[in-house]
Amino acid sequence: MTFLEELSEALEAASAVAELTRTELSGVDAQVAAITAAALRVAALAARAGQQPLDVITRIESSIPGIEAADHEVDQALREKFR
Amino acid sequence: MIWIARFYLCALIACSGRSHIDARAANALAVASNAALPLVVERYRAEQLEELEHDAGEIETRSRVIAVRHQWGPVWIAWEAYRVAFELYATAIDQGDGDGAAAALERMRLAACAFRYALPKDLAPKLPALPVRCPS
């Protein structure tokens, strides 16, 4: 298990504990526990995101095949017209 | 507790966030560009075929077609320059070279804008919008 995977699991566990704690508290303490739980869940998601491979970047296509096809068609039409 | 969570959150985003954002933005630009290319080629083809509609002899018609091809030369050169600049940018992102990507980004952006400005004026608004900011 990588460091980030361990961290992700620890953060999720801490988030679950904070959420459980929140239900036992009231007022400001409950709000602090709720915010902590949310922050820990986001951190866990970020840790998992760090494990994802980088997105594959599409490359820009060359214009040459399209230009050649267009020119070929026009040349063919010229030959047909002036046969 | 909160400051501990904030610390981990900031550290993790700093480690993993930027390259994903760059890759996704670059990908969106390439997808939009590749969607625009067939429309530009179609316009090039149509303008040439239009010259065959005139009631003119062979030599004059061929001259008109060649003139269209010359007019479009700068558009295709601009496109290929943009394609090369984008390749450098995307390769830098793929390699995790943040400095290289930052340097390539501005060149790529200017090349994209040069292509846009080379197009016939009435064509650019009809194409998929390229997510780059160009000087107006």
Side-chain angles (χ1 to χ4, degrees), chain A residues 1-10 51:
Chain A
M1 191 182 284
T2 67
F3 167 72
L4 281 179
E5 283 170 341
E6 283 192 59
L7 181 59
S8 174
E9 282 191 13
Q51 294 294 305

Side-chain angles (χ1 to χ4, degrees), chain B residues 30-115:
Chain B
V31 168
S33 300
N34 289 337
L37 180 59
L39 303 175
V40 180
V41 172
E42 174 54 30
R43 173 66 171 264
Y44 169 68
R45 172 189 163 278
E47 284 193 9
Q48 291 185 74
L49 290 174
E50 217 175 279
E51 299 304 331
L52 274 67
E53 301 299 314
H54 297 288
D55 191 19
E58 182 176 357
I59 292 174
E60 185 180 342
T61 303
R62 286 187 182 275
S63 293
R64 286 172 180 261
V65 166
I66 288 169
V68 169
R69 291 178 182 176
H70 274 282
Q71 277 170 8
W72 277 82
V75 175
W76 303 128
I77 289 171
W79 175 271
E80 292 301 317
Y82 169 44
R83 185 181 65 78
V84 170
F86 182 89
E87 182 62 37
L88 293 172
Y89 175 57
T91 299
I93 296 174
D94 284 342
Q95 294 174 346
D97 178 6
D99 291 339
L105 175 59
E106 184 61 8
R107 285 196 294 271
M108 189 271 299
R109 188 181 72 82
L110 289 172
C113 293
F115 166 71

Side-chain angles (χ1 to χ4, degrees), chain A residues 4 36 39 42-43 49-50 54-63 66-67 71 73-75 77-78 81-82, chain B residues 2 9 12 19-20 24 27 30 34 44-45 48 52 54 61 69 76 79-80 82-83 86-87 90-91 94:
Chain A
L4 281 179
T36 302
V42 173
L54 283 178
D55 306 86
V56 175
I57 302 173
T58 301
R59 276 3 194 212
I60 289 178
E61 294 165 10
S62 172
S63 59
I67 295 167
D71 288 352
E73 183 184 341
V74 171
D75 290 344
L78 276 166
K81 178 169 181 172
F82 297 108
Chain B
I2 292 178
L9 177 61
L12 290 166
S19 53
H20 288 284
R24 288 198 180 122
N27 193 66
N34 289 337
Y44 169 68
R45 172 189 163 278
Q48 291 185 74
L52 274 67
H54 297 288
T61 303
R69 291 178 182 176
W76 303 128
W79 175 271
E80 292 301 317
Y82 169 44
R83 185 181 65 78
F86 182 89
E87 182 62 37
T91 299
D94 284 342

